[in-house]
Amino acid sequence: MLLADEEFQDGIFHFDLFGREEKRAFIKRYGIRKEEFHKARAIVEGLSFKEIYFSEEELNYLWKRLELENAGTTLQPKLQNRNLITWISRIAAVLFIPLLITSIWLIDRTKELEAFKKEKIDRLTGVYNMVSAPNGGKVKAILPDGSEVWLNSGSSIQYPVLGNHAYREVKLKGEGLFKVTKDPDRPMFVITSGMKVKVYGTIFNINAYDDNPDIETALVEGSISITKLDGQGHPENVEYKMKPGEVGRLDRQNNVLDIKQGNNMEVFTGWVSGKYVFRNAQFKDILRRLERIHNVQFVLEDKAIGDYCFDATFGDQNIDRIMEIFEVSLPIRWRSVKAEQNNDKTFSTRRIIISRDKSRKL
């Protein structure tokens, strides 16, 4: 078979570099016709991946210059028993089969890769990253979109490993101050146990501890909307929009949402810098907040003391110093019960017992 002859392949490939006599000798040596030469050249050049092609006019001119115009009827191939069509068919088959096998392999590999990718995506769908703040501490988290979240004591957030192209999602337990990166095309949804907040880019604080009677959302700058969630976590139809300086308060027990102008945003955001501001706050609510900050447990022996309202601002004072301030302001006495080691080697929470000082009026 001529295609297997390296000298033949080389001669076909470099035919245009031969002199006139070399070209005549080459054609006579292999006994190929003009049409056969044309097809052989196309095949060999095709195998070389180099696009060189003789037009019919060029080939006629070549044959005429070589004085082989009439040789097409007399010259015979050396291998007369090999029909050129059969030869080309076999070459085509030899080329086609590996290409077919390669194509099938590539298709199979593509299907395997697609199946592998889908399997991984299915596994990661519904999987969340989680960031938590320890009791008595706070943590700053950076979300994949660059948004910042400060988490207060005992709080946590969850966000998907695989984000959605249409929106961003964060689940919050406890309290967090959000500085959300602006993205008009992808709003962020912050979801708590009873409220859903829609954000495009802004600063706001959410206090949604499970043991709080209310969920409070304070908007510092930008714009947000809030929606109540039912017992199954489904949003209600009404969406409430908020303006900077407003506070949205959801009464869990009565399922009532109220939005009012806030007088001092530090009441809601000061904790990030270690400043705790209370305005006309009940003593029991102040104690609940201090429990998380200092990781202690308060015990009120007289429940009536908890209803007393007053203003207070605390910085980085330790809990003993804060209790001394309370003792001056209120008719109370207090004592501390140190933490003890449990049987499982953990320690109990420090308790502070608050009793009524009957010698002083409330």
Side-chain angles (χ1 to χ4, degrees), residues 41-314:
R41 183 64 180 265
I43 292 173
V44 172
E45 295 295 351
L47 290 173
S48 71
F49 299 98
K50 184 177 180 182
E51 192 174 351
I52 299 177
Y53 180 78
F54 281 107
S55 68
E56 186 66 27
E57 182 180 353
E58 291 172 330
L59 197 58
N60 288 334
Y61 175 77
L62 175 63
W63 239 244
K64 185 175 182 180
R65 286 292 306 273
L66 294 176
E67 299 178 355
L68 294 171
E69 185 66 32
N70 299 320
T73 58
T74 58
L75 293 177
Q76 298 293 329
K78 282 186 175 182
L79 303 176
Q80 296 183 11
N81 60 330
R82 299 294 183 93
N83 184 281
L84 182 62
I85 296 178
T86 304
W87 173 69
I88 293 175
S89 299
R90 291 179 179 175
I91 294 301
V94 170
L95 293 174
F96 174 74
I97 292 173
L99 287 174
L100 178 61
I101 294 173
T102 302
S103 299
I104 293 173
W105 181 84
L106 287 173
I107 292 171
D108 289 342
R109 289 295 295 166
T110 301
K111 289 181 178 179
E112 289 178 9
L113 289 172
E114 289 297 327
F116 175 80
K117 183 170 69 173
K118 184 179 183 302
E119 178 187 356
K120 293 302 179 183
I121 290 175
D122 289 343
R123 286 185 180 182
L124 291 176
T125 300
V127 177
Y128 286 78
N129 289 316
M130 184 173 181
V131 181
S132 301
N135 292 328
K138 52 181 179 284
V139 167
K140 181 182 180 181
I142 306 295
L143 301 181
D145 68 339
S147 298
E148 300 178 7
V149 185
W150 275 99
L151 296 173
N152 207 347
S153 172
S155 302
S156 65
I157 56 170
Q158 291 182 325
Y159 56 92
V161 172
L162 290 180
N164 191 294
H165 294 293
Y167 60 87
R168 296 166 285 175
E169 179 186 20
V170 177
K171 296 180 180 180
L172 169 70
K173 288 186 176 182
E175 183 173 19
L177 177 68
F178 289 77
K179 295 183 178 180
V180 178
T181 301
K182 291 184 179 181
D183 188 346
D185 298 324
R186 292 182 68 223
M188 176 181 286
F189 294 103
V190 180
I191 302 170
T192 69
S193 58
M195 181 185 291
K196 180 178 180 179
V197 182
K198 186 177 182 180
V199 193
Y200 288 97
T202 185
I203 301 176
F204 63 100
N205 189 83
I206 303 181
N207 187 336
Y209 286 105
D210 289 338
D211 59 349
N212 279 359
D214 303 326
I215 297 177
E216 292 179 330
T217 301
L219 178 59
V220 179
E221 65 178 55
S223 63
I224 62 175
S225 64
I226 55 180
T227 305
K228 293 188 294 183
L229 303 179
D230 61 22
Q232 286 71 44
H234 301 134
E236 297 183 359
N237 295 328
V238 182
E239 186 176 342
Y240 302 86
K241 292 187 177 181
M242 292 178 55
K243 298 177 182 179
E246 291 184 335
V247 179
R249 183 174 287 106
L250 174 63
D251 183 337
R252 294 180 191 264
Q253 183 175 0
N254 299 311
N255 195 31
V256 176
L257 178 61
D258 184 33
I259 298 177
K260 292 183 178 180
Q261 184 68 33
N263 296 322
N264 188 348
M265 284 291 108
E266 274 195 319
V267 173
F268 307 97
T269 65
W271 62 269
V272 174
S273 57
K275 187 176 182 180
Y276 293 86
V277 181
F278 301 94
R279 293 292 180 266
N280 194 32
Q282 288 188 318
F283 187 45
K284 60 184 178 183
D285 293 334
I286 296 174
L287 293 180
R288 183 186 298 111
R289 194 158 180 82
L290 292 175
E291 279 184 333
R292 299 192 185 96
I293 299 169
H294 296 278
N295 195 25
V296 297
Q297 179 183 1
F298 291 105
V299 178
L300 280 175
E301 291 186 337
D302 187 340
K303 302 298 182 182
I305 301 174
D307 296 330
Y308 182 78
C309 295
F310 62 98
D311 297 342
T313 300
F314 302 107

